[in-house]
Amino acid sequence: AQTVTQSQPEMSVQEAETVTLSCTYDTSESDYYLFWYKQPPSRQMILVIRQEAYKQQNATENRFSVNFQKAAKSFSLKISDSQLGDAAMYFCAYRRLYNTDKLIFGTGTRLQVFP
Amino acid sequence: DAGVIQSPRHEVTEMGQEVTLRCKPISGHDYLFWYRQTMMRGLELLIYFNNNVPIDDSGMPEDRFSAKMPNASFSTLKIQPSEPRDSAVYFCASSLGLAGYAYNEQFFGPGTRLTVL
């Protein structure tokens, strides 16, 4: 069975600085998706970024980028130029590549952003 | 599009009562997922449907939980009888099923916060 682990329950960063959130996962499959979701106090789950395991290039979305290390089964999220609005819970998630399937989530990291 | 709609947003009930949570997926989506979020276990899948048929219900915790999807635009998650340990946020998500390797995003509803006293 696939598992996702986030070992940092809480992180903090100063506004305009950079922060990296860690995620590791375990799977026996070679092709899959990895995601980072943001959950602000409103509870809404917002997709931040996704990575296809068959792509070697790390995904980027504006200030958000990932460091995907397939052999190490590591998938970290880097937030550059942090903003107050980035404060939220961040969840790492895994999904099988082929066909539609469920998301498997990590336990989340609470990010605080200080002015 | 209005997105995934869940009701109610908040539900407070007493132990032993029946609770029904409702979800309307995005029009045209043929996959519907129910997730539960708790402090102890995080976000976990309870059940998901494809074309109104349950595909994987291995996450349903026990017989007190049941889910139905009578048509493409409506699903319910029922807890009977409810217990304090069922207190959680319940999310519904939907996606458009695409065969093979095509990517299809799951869109989440706002969640229902359930409190069982």
Side-chain angles (χ1 to χ4, degrees):
Chain A
Q2 297 88 9
T3 58
V4 177
T5 301
Q6 292 179 250
S7 58
Q8 306 157 315
E10 288 191 7
M11 292 283 285
S12 61
V13 64
Q14 206 135 26
E15 207 175 0
E17 297 296 307
T18 296
V19 64
T20 299
L21 308 184
S22 301
C23 173
T24 59
Y25 59 94
D26 190 26
T27 182
S28 58
E29 300 182 351
S30 58
D31 289 322
Y32 44 87
Y33 291 110
L34 293 166
F35 305 88
W36 279 98
Y37 280 85
K38 172 184 177 181
Q39 187 181 40
S42 67
R43 290 204 310 253
Q44 186 68 48
M45 294 292 289
I46 302 166
L47 178 62
V48 174
I49 198 165
R50 84 168 188 271
Q51 173 80 43
E52 289 88 343
Y54 59 85
K55 291 185 178 178
Q56 291 189 332
Q57 188 171 8
N58 289 324
T60 62
E61 285 287 342
N62 301 313
R63 297 183 296 107
F64 299 88
S65 61
V66 300
N67 183 4
F68 172 51
Q69 302 289 325
K70 190 172 184 179
K73 294 182 180 175
S74 169
F75 182 62
S76 61
L77 175 70
K78 185 171 83 170
I79 306 174
S80 303
D81 186 25
S82 297
Q83 300 175 0
L84 295 177
D86 295 334
M89 283 289 290
Y90 286 83
F91 293 94
C92 179
Y94 167 100
R95 210 201 85 184
R96 289 171 56 204
L97 185 73
Y98 192 73
N99 282 331
T100 302
D101 203 359
K102 62 188 177 189
L103 290 163
I104 298 171
F105 289 92
T107 50
T109 296
R110 181 171 302 280
L111 177 66
Q112 293 182 303
V113 182
F114 295 104
Chain B
D1 200 322
V4 177
I5 298 172
Q6 291 187 248
S7 63
R9 291 295 308 275
H10 305 273
E11 176 80 35
V12 180
T13 191
E14 292 190 345
M15 183 174 63
Q17 296 298 305
E18 178 180 293
V19 175
T20 300
L21 310 181
R22 297 172 175 80
C23 175
K24 177 178 169 55
I26 292 172
S27 177
H29 283 188
D30 52 351
Y31 278 81
L32 185 139
F33 304 80
W34 283 101
Y35 293 90
R36 179 173 67 174
Q37 183 178 25
T38 61
M39 290 294 291
M40 293 298 294
R41 300 174 65 91
L43 272 155
E44 53 184 351
L45 179 82
L46 298 177
I47 185 171
Y48 77 92
F49 296 84
N50 176 216
N51 289 323
N52 314 334
V53 176
I55 302 301
D56 182 353
D57 65 353
S58 59
M60 294 288 265
E62 47 198 279
D63 291 346
R64 298 184 297 105
F65 285 70
S66 63
K68 293 182 180 179
M69 193 162 186
N71 57 63
S73 59
F74 184 65
S75 176
T76 59
L77 178 67
K78 186 175 292 187
I79 309 172
Q80 166 63 18
S82 58
E83 296 182 3
R85 60 193 169 115
D86 302 331
S87 297
V89 179
Y90 292 81
F91 286 98
C92 177
S94 72
S95 73
L96 182 63
L98 298 172
Y101 293 93
Y103 172 69
N104 47 347
E105 183 176 344
Q106 285 187 26
F107 294 86
F108 283 77
T112 295
R113 180 178 294 279
L114 172 65
T115 302
V116 183
L117 303 174

